[in-house]
Structure formats: structure tokens, C-alpha cells
């Protein structure tokens, strides 16, 4: 009895490789557009850089802008980012916190798995010198926040660029003179 072939035929292997390469190129292009979207949210202030392995999450590219750093994640199609807001005022932090909690208000149905206190308040941060986790569902970490010298550093690990566009604008609206 003969063993059936286990290799993909060459013509299909080449077509598969071309499809994968096209998908990668499209995701990379989408990530660069998403990076531009985040810079636009920051009033055009910022720059796009190559993401290097070991410098942070596996990313298509990264954005450096006054007030935040973002990595466009390879786990998405160029539409998801990890963002670190740097030195937010307490007002800006509360606006971001309130907006996300408002958007994700849980209906508390029978299958509710939401955390009792998903985002630490400014008072919570004042009473804890270490990072406090942001958890929206049971055992689902979303990021962390830390208060130092009256300012808050906030990191969110995997968010849609659509949401982050609004959050960047909220942080800037609060901090403008």
C-alpha cells in the first residue's frame, strides 16, 4: 500500500504564498494608515517609526507623539494598537476612563462576567503606589495605570484604533491651555 502525498502541489504552494504575502502587505498598509489616524487625533503632531523586535509588542509600526506612544499590533489587521499615555492630568485620565466605561456599560445579565471595579479611579491610584490593573471582564486584563507626581501613566494593551482616536482627542482637549 502506498502512502498518499503530503506536500502541497507547487502551483498551489506558490498561490498560497502569494495570498499570504498580499495579506501581510495589506495589514502593514492598514497599520500605517492607522498610525496616521492617531497622529491626526494629536493635531498632526507625531511620527511613524519602524517597530523593532524586542522593543515592545510585535508590531507593524509605532507612533511617537507628545503625550503617547503606540504600537500597531501584528495580531490585528493594522487596526489594533497598544498605547501608552504618558503623564496624563487627572482630568484627562477621568475623561478617558468615563468614556470607555460609558461605551462598554455592562447590561449585567445572567451571564455577566464584568469586574466590579474595572478601572481604578484617581483616588484608587493615589492610595496605591504600584501599577493598578484595568480589568473589564473576569480575568481579562486590559492594561494598567500608575500615578506618580500628580500625573498618570496609562497603558492599554489591545484597543481598536477607532476607540483610540477618540481617547487621544479627549486627552488633548483636557490638556489644552
Amino acid at each position: 500500500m502506498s502512502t498518499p502525498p503530503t506536500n502541497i502541489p507547487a502551483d498551489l504552494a506558490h498561490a498560497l504564498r502569494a495570498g499570504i504575502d498580499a495579506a501581510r502587505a495589506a495589514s502593514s498598509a492598514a497599520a500605517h494608515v492607522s498610525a496616521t489616524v492617531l497622529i491626526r487625533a494629536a493635531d498632526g503632531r507625531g511620527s511613524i517609526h519602524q517597530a523593532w523586535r524586542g522593543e515592545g509588542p510585535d508590531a507593524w509600526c509605532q507612533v511617537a507623539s507628545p503625550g503617547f506612544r503606540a504600537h500597531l499590533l501584528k495580531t490585528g489587521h493594522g487596526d489594533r494598537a497598544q498605547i501608552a499615555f504618558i503623564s496624563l492630568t487627572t482630568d484627562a485620565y477621568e475623561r478617558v476612563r468615563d468614556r470607555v466605561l460609558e461605551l462598554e456599560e455592562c447590561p449585567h445579565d445572567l451571564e455577566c462576567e464584568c469586574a466590579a471595579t474595572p478601572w481604578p479611579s484617581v483616588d484608587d491610584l493615589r492610595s496605591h503606589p504600584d501599577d493598578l490593573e484595568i480589568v473589564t471582564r473576569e480575568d481579562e486584563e486590559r492594561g494598567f495605570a500608575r500615578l506618580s507626581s500628580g500625573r498618570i501613566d496609562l497603558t492599554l494593551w489591545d484597543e481598536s484604533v477607532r476607540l483610540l482616536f477618540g481617547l487621544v482627542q479627549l486627552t488633548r482637549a483636557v490638556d489644552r491651555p
Side-chain angles (χ1 to χ4, degrees):
M1 187 150 111
S2 115
T3 304
T6 58
N7 293 330
I8 298 174
D11 60 333
L12 290 176
H14 293 300
L16 178 60
R17 171 57 44 207
I20 291 169
D21 290 346
R24 258 193 206 113
S27 291
S28 176
H32 282 79
V33 172
S34 292
T36 303
V37 165
L38 293 177
I39 290 170
R40 173 73 61 90
D43 296 328
R45 297 176 59 205
S47 54
I48 302 170
H49 303 275
Q50 175 69 40
W52 300 103
R53 195 166 267 188
E55 283 186 324
D58 196 14
W60 294 109
C61 60
Q62 58 183 327
V63 175
S65 184
F68 74 90
R69 302 284 180 270
H71 287 82
L72 283 297
L73 302 172
K74 282 192 175 181
T75 56
H77 299 290
D79 60 339
R80 312 260 335 146
Q82 175 176 308
I83 194 164
F85 290 102
I86 303 157
S87 196
L88 292 175
T89 64
T90 55
D91 289 341
Y93 174 79
E94 283 295 335
R95 277 196 165 180
V96 167
R97 178 181 181 267
D98 291 347
R99 179 67 175 148
V100 174
L101 290 175
E102 170 190 308
L103 289 173
E104 297 180 355
E105 187 172 345
C106 180
H108 301 299
D109 59 13
L110 293 175
E111 297 182 27
C112 173
E113 295 179 3
C114 68
T117 54
W119 282 61
S121 67
V122 172
D123 290 337
D124 294 334
L125 293 171
R126 283 188 180 117
S127 64
H128 292 87
D130 298 326
D131 298 343
L132 289 180
E133 292 179 348
I134 296 167
V135 181
T136 51
R137 302 270 185 257
E138 295 295 324
D139 299 326
E140 188 178 304
E141 294 179 27
R142 186 174 196 160
F144 64 90
R146 173 187 325 117
L147 178 73
S148 177
S149 302
R151 305 289 273 194
I152 298 171
D153 292 337
L154 169 65
T155 298
L156 301 173
W157 289 319
D158 185 356
E159 301 294 335
S160 77
V161 170
R162 290 177 187 272
L163 172 65
L164 294 178
F165 179 86
L167 298 183
V168 168
Q169 287 186 320
L170 280 176
T171 64
R172 298 193 49 79
V174 171
D175 290 336
R176 287 184 186 145

